[in-house]
């Protein structure tokens, strides 16, 4: 039975999990403004735009193209679908994927599955990408994941789980920051939250929806840590 109460916490694997997340968070914050994190930030933007695309497809719309820009911006061109579901899917979707990647890192098998799914998603998007930044990102990360996979399987450098965990933590932190930067600290009339506020009959502004989405994203991060501890108990 799952140890939902986390009795006898924390064992060695749980401590390692918590310490690694803490170290990764400090490294990410220390290197936030450096070029070293740019590829990982762009992966988060990719997951944001891919989440828009998935929501569009699931609501019977059509994805006409996806772009990710070097300035950490992006756009997904869609036609049809349920717009009020497509709009929040970007921020909340990238937070959700971050949670799944963190949980996948708790086991080598699930880390392999996560790496394979991420590689497959990048390969699919490679053929519908509308700009070379996104194409380069897809090719670069497919090659990166392939190298990490080979090292994991054929050498003593077994870091696949840690790479998946780093991407998950990076994705979760960047999603929360992106919501704050795009939707709360500065009001952008063309933002997803402002457009959602125009569609929603609720008396809530774009900033208000940004705060709600930010809290949900933060809860995804907290849930990933809690569920990870449960899995490792």
């Amino acid at each position: 039975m799952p140890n939902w109460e986390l009795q006898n916490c924390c064992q060695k694997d749980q401590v390692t999990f918590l310490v690694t997340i803490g170290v990764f968070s400090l490294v990410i914050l220390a290197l936030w403004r450096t070029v070293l994190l740019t590829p990982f930030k762009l992966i988060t933007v990719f997951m944001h735009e891919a989440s828009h695309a998935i929501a569009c497809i699931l609501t019977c719309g059509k994805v006409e193209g996806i772009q990710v820009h070097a300035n950490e911006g992006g756009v997904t061109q869609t036609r049809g679908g349920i717009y009020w579901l497509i709009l929040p899917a970007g921020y909340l979707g990238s937070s959700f994927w971050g949670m799944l990647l963190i949980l996948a890192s708790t086991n080598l098998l699930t880390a392999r599955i996560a790496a394979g799914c991420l590689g497959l998603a990048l390969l699919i998007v490679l053929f519908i990408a509308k700009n070379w930044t996104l194409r380069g990102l897809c090719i670069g990360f497919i090659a990166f994941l392939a190298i990490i996979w080979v090292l994991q399987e054929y050498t003593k450098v077994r870091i696949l789980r840690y790479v998946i965990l780093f991407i998950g933590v990076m994705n979760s932190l960047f999603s929360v920051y992106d919501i704050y930067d795009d939707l709360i600290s500065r009001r952008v009339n063309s933002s997803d939250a402002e457009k959602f506020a125009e569609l929603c009959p609720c008396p809530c502004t774009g900033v208000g929806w940004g705060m709600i989405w930010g809290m949900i994203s933060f809860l995804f991060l907290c849930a990933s840590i809690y569920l990870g501890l449960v899995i490792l108990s």
Side-chain angles (χ1 to χ4, degrees):
M1 293 291 293
N3 182 14
W4 298 112
E5 296 80 15
L6 293 178
Q7 297 176 355
N8 301 319
C9 184
C10 294
Q11 305 299 319
K12 181 181 177 181
D13 288 344
Q14 293 171 312
V15 171
T16 301
F17 177 70
L18 289 174
V19 170
T20 305
I21 289 178
V23 170
F24 282 169
S25 298
L26 290 175
V27 169
I28 289 168
L29 292 174
L31 300 178
W32 191 262
R33 299 293 182 184
T34 69
V35 71
L36 294 175
L37 286 186
T38 298
F40 295 97
K41 287 182 178 180
L42 293 180
I43 276 292
T44 300
V45 177
F46 159 76
M47 290 185 178
H48 176 113
E49 300 305 331
S51 297
H52 282 309
I54 291 170
C56 175
I57 293 170
L58 291 178
T59 56
C60 301
K62 182 180 179 182
V63 178
E64 298 185 334
I66 299 176
Q67 296 182 42
V68 170
H69 303 300
N71 65 354
E72 299 169 18
V75 62
T76 300
Q77 298 166 313
T78 63
R79 185 174 62 199
I82 302 176
Y83 200 43
W84 62 269
L85 289 178
I86 297 172
L87 284 171
Y91 291 107
L92 300 183
S94 57
S95 300
F96 177 74
W97 298 127
M99 180 181 72
L100 288 188
L101 289 172
I102 291 173
L103 295 179
S105 72
T106 59
N107 181 278
L108 180 56
L109 175 60
T110 52
R112 285 174 175 145
I113 293 172
C117 290
L118 180 56
L120 179 61
L122 289 165
L123 183 62
I124 293 171
V125 171
L126 176 62
F127 292 98
I128 61 173
K130 291 296 185 179
N131 68 326
W132 278 104
T133 299
L134 180 53
R135 294 188 189 106
L137 180 70
C138 291
I139 294 170
F141 256 88
I142 289 171
F144 173 70
L145 291 172
I147 291 170
I148 297 300
W149 191 292
V150 170
L151 291 175
Q152 174 70 39
E153 300 300 326
Y154 299 104
T155 73
K156 294 183 179 180
V157 183
R158 306 182 185 278
I159 59 173
L160 179 62
R161 288 177 58 190
Y162 295 103
V163 169
I164 294 299
L165 179 57
F166 183 85
I167 296 174
V169 172
M170 177 71 207
N171 206 78
S172 297
L173 292 178
F174 189 67
S175 296
V176 174
Y177 169 81
D178 213 24
I179 289 174
Y180 172 77
D181 187 50
D182 289 351
L183 309 180
I184 299 174
S185 66
R186 55 191 177 94
R187 186 165 182 170
V188 181
N189 292 330
S190 60
S191 72
D192 292 343
E194 290 293 340
K195 292 178 181 177
F196 188 82
E198 293 174 1
L199 291 175
C200 183
C202 305
C204 192
T205 65
V207 173
W209 282 114
M211 294 178 67
I212 293 171
W213 295 354
M215 287 187 289
I216 294 173
S217 294
F218 184 71
L219 287 175
F220 275 139
L221 176 57
C222 294
S224 67
I225 296 173
Y226 167 70
L227 293 174
L229 292 173
V230 171
I231 292 170
L232 292 170
S233 62

